[in-house]
Amino acid sequence: MNESKISHLEMIQNIITRMNSNSFLLKGWTVTIFVGLFAFANVTEMDSRFIIIALIPTVIFMFLDSYFLRQERLFRHLYEYVRTTNDRYIDFSMSTKRYQKQKDTKYLKVILSKTIWPCYVPIIAVTLIIFLKNPYVTNFIFSKWHAILNYLS
């Protein structure tokens, strides 16, 4: 293996490492914001709009984390291509366009991967449970539901 191929592989590996680091940092920030928001708040007396605000950064970070994981997978495909390509044909291209159609790089497949949903779905579920357990929210929901049922009967 010549030096140019090794350099190209190192560049790709650095990008993969950076994407992985970004993903790890996003998970850390998500947990920090979630725990911080509920640790300093009295959940039973909290305004329901305040509870639902916890979903905003969680969902944004989930999609951003999915983006980084998708980019990481695309660059892994590029790495594999460069690794198996003859040294003469190394052109230092960093384009991942040819791998966009790969099955494991589809956005839905990435979101449902075992590195994304186990982190974010429980946080979203706990937030929704706390939101629905809030007496102000449940009273509002039941009063509206009762009004709809009375209207229909």
Side-chain angles (χ1 to χ4, degrees):
M1 203 176 330
N2 70 14
E3 200 162 313
S4 64
K5 185 173 186 175
I6 293 171
S7 296
H8 194 196
L9 289 171
E10 285 175 353
M11 286 190 314
I12 297 168
Q13 185 59 46
N14 287 337
I15 292 173
I16 292 170
T17 303
R18 196 169 343 129
M19 295 298 157
N20 197 337
S21 296
N22 290 342
S23 181
F24 181 76
L25 287 172
L26 281 172
K27 285 178 178 74
W29 273 104
T30 301
V31 171
T32 302
I33 289 172
F34 176 76
V35 170
L37 189 63
F38 289 113
F40 296 112
N42 183 354
V43 177
T44 57
E45 296 177 12
M46 189 185 311
D47 185 12
S48 60
R49 291 168 294 190
F50 187 67
I51 296 171
I52 214 71
I53 287 176
L55 286 178
I56 296 170
T58 303
V59 170
I60 289 172
F61 287 169
M62 181 179 74
F63 282 108
L64 197 54
D65 195 1
S66 299
Y67 170 78
F68 287 132
L69 180 59
R70 182 172 185 268
Q71 292 300 314
E72 181 183 329
R73 288 180 177 183
L74 289 169
F75 278 101
R76 285 186 188 280
H77 284 290
L78 178 63
Y79 185 93
E80 189 61 27
Y81 171 76
V82 172
R83 188 185 67 78
T84 58
T85 301
N86 191 320
D87 292 356
R88 294 184 275 197
Y89 302 113
I90 300 298
D91 62 355
F92 288 93
S93 172
M94 298 300 271
S95 174
T96 59
K97 268 190 170 185
R98 70 173 73 166
Y99 312 111
Q100 302 277 338
K101 304 284 185 196
Q102 295 286 333
K103 187 176 181 180
D104 69 331
T105 62
K106 299 289 185 195
Y107 207 72
L108 185 61
K109 179 92 170 164
V110 173
I111 287 178
L112 297 175
S113 73
K114 60 184 172 185
T115 59
I116 300 293
W117 73 265
C119 177
Y120 295 99
V121 170
I123 291 174
I124 292 170
V126 167
T127 304
L128 290 174
I129 289 169
I130 291 171
F131 178 73
L132 293 173
K133 289 274 186 182
N134 189 314
Y136 302 111
V137 173
T138 52
N139 289 339
F140 176 77
I141 290 172
F142 286 127
S143 68
K144 295 300 178 188
W145 183 250
H146 190 334
I148 290 170
L149 289 176
N150 284 338
Y151 177 77
L152 293 175
S153 52

